[in-house]
Amino acid sequence: MLNIVLFGPPGAGKGTQSQSIVETYGLIHLSTGDLLRSEIKAESELGLKAKSLMDAGKLVPDEVVIGMISNKLETNQDAKGFIFDGFPRTKEQAIALDKLLENHGETITKMLSLEVADEELIKRLLERGKDSGRPDDQNKEVIQGRLDVYNEQTAIVKEYYSTQGKTEELNGIGTIPEVFDRIKKALDNS
Ligand code: B4P
């Protein structure tokens, strides 16, 4: 199985590149952001709780996202592999993911970290906010808050996978096909 963590700050291109990875490698795409936004759309109890946190650019509690991923692993047991997009976002989530995969006799193959400077991230997210309807993309202060959350709680996840020898940093600046080409080279060499 090919199990990839696609990592990077908000706006680095995780969701964007996941689409091409799915098409090329036939993996199941698990985006905790997308899963949470579907819960909000369905006005479920979980969605109602997550909405205010997400709109403010804060993280949803670990147990909520870990539970969602656990369910998806259970219901996709015959998958060729998974691409984890936006998860794990804390060290606790990374530890939980290792345990969940271990229960299925699996492990993370590689963690690809898309590296993009803050000014470019802010520009991309404000641009998306013009027509995405996402409240967390519409205001510079909320976006800066998301970058702060990334630096304070999420960046450490890169070290977690580095100690396992699984992290590969990739330049996330360039056109979408250029960035995908770098991802493809990294995956084909893994
Ligand atoms: P996510 O949905 O993961 O959103 P994101 O960080 O903004 O990244 P996304 O993948 O959508 O954007 P992309 O970089 O592809 O998270 C949203 C919120 O959900 C979080 O703040 C949190 O509240 C909650 N959440 C999610 N997962 C969680 C977890 N595990 N634990 C706790 N809470 C969680 O693209 C951004 C823009 O850049 C797009 O418009 C795209 O078109 C553009 N772009 C991409 N690549 C480009 C390129 N090469 N050049 C120019 N533009 C590019």
Side-chain angles (χ1 to χ4, degrees):
M1 252 177 146
L2 183 62
N3 294 313
I4 305 300
V5 171
L6 191 58
F7 189 77
K14 304 181 295 288
T16 306
Q17 295 297 335
S18 289
Q19 292 169 21
S20 309
I21 298 174
V22 165
E23 281 163 24
T24 306
Y25 296 93
L27 307 180
I28 302 268
H29 179 212
L30 296 182
S31 157
T32 39
D34 287 351
L35 292 171
L36 289 165
R37 281 185 287 276
S38 323
E39 294 286 343
I40 292 175
K41 207 167 163 204
E43 298 184 349
S44 69
E45 198 182 325
L46 192 161
L48 292 174
K49 277 190 202 147
K51 185 176 178 359
S52 55
L53 290 166
M54 288 175 74
D55 287 356
K58 301 206 172 102
L59 294 184
V60 170
D62 286 339
E63 61 273 20
V64 173
V65 284
I66 292 166
M68 289 191 320
I69 292 290
S70 173
N71 286 341
K72 290 288 171 188
L73 293 180
E74 287 301 326
T75 50
N76 288 285
Q77 301 222 22
D78 50 359
K80 281 168 74 180
F82 294 92
I83 170 149
F84 298 95
D85 160 10
F87 179 90
R89 256 178 161 93
T90 63
K91 191 174 172 188
E92 289 68 28
Q93 293 179 19
I95 293 168
L97 178 59
D98 271 352
K99 287 200 183 123
L100 288 173
L101 289 173
E102 204 181 298
N103 292 342
H104 294 269
E106 287 296 331
T107 182
I108 290 296
T109 316
K110 198 154 208 170
M111 187 261 227
L112 299 177
S113 175
L114 295 175
E115 308 290 320
V116 178
D118 282 6
E119 312 82 76
E120 171 72 10
L121 297 171
I122 293 169
K123 202 175 91 190
R124 287 182 187 180
L125 294 174
L126 285 173
E127 190 57 36
R128 182 171 67 183
K130 286 183 191 164
D131 50 28
S132 69
R134 274 180 59 169
D136 57 343
D137 280 347
Q138 294 188 9
N139 146 339
K140 206 169 168 184
E141 284 70 48
V142 173
I143 292 174
Q144 187 56 55
R146 289 163 65 195
L147 295 178
D148 293 343
V149 167
Y150 172 81
N151 289 321
E152 286 156 19
Q153 299 180 56
T154 305
I156 193 172
V157 171
K158 190 153 57 166
E159 286 164 38
Y160 179 85
Y161 288 105
S162 295
T163 59
Q164 299 184 4
K166 291 179 177 170
T167 298
E168 182 159 348
E169 292 185 352
L170 297 176
N171 178 5
I173 306 258
T175 64
I176 291 167
E178 278 167 357
V179 176
F180 180 63
D181 209 43
R182 292 174 202 139
I183 291 177
K184 197 167 174 308
K185 283 197 182 106
L187 291 182
D188 290 347
N189 288 332
S190 64

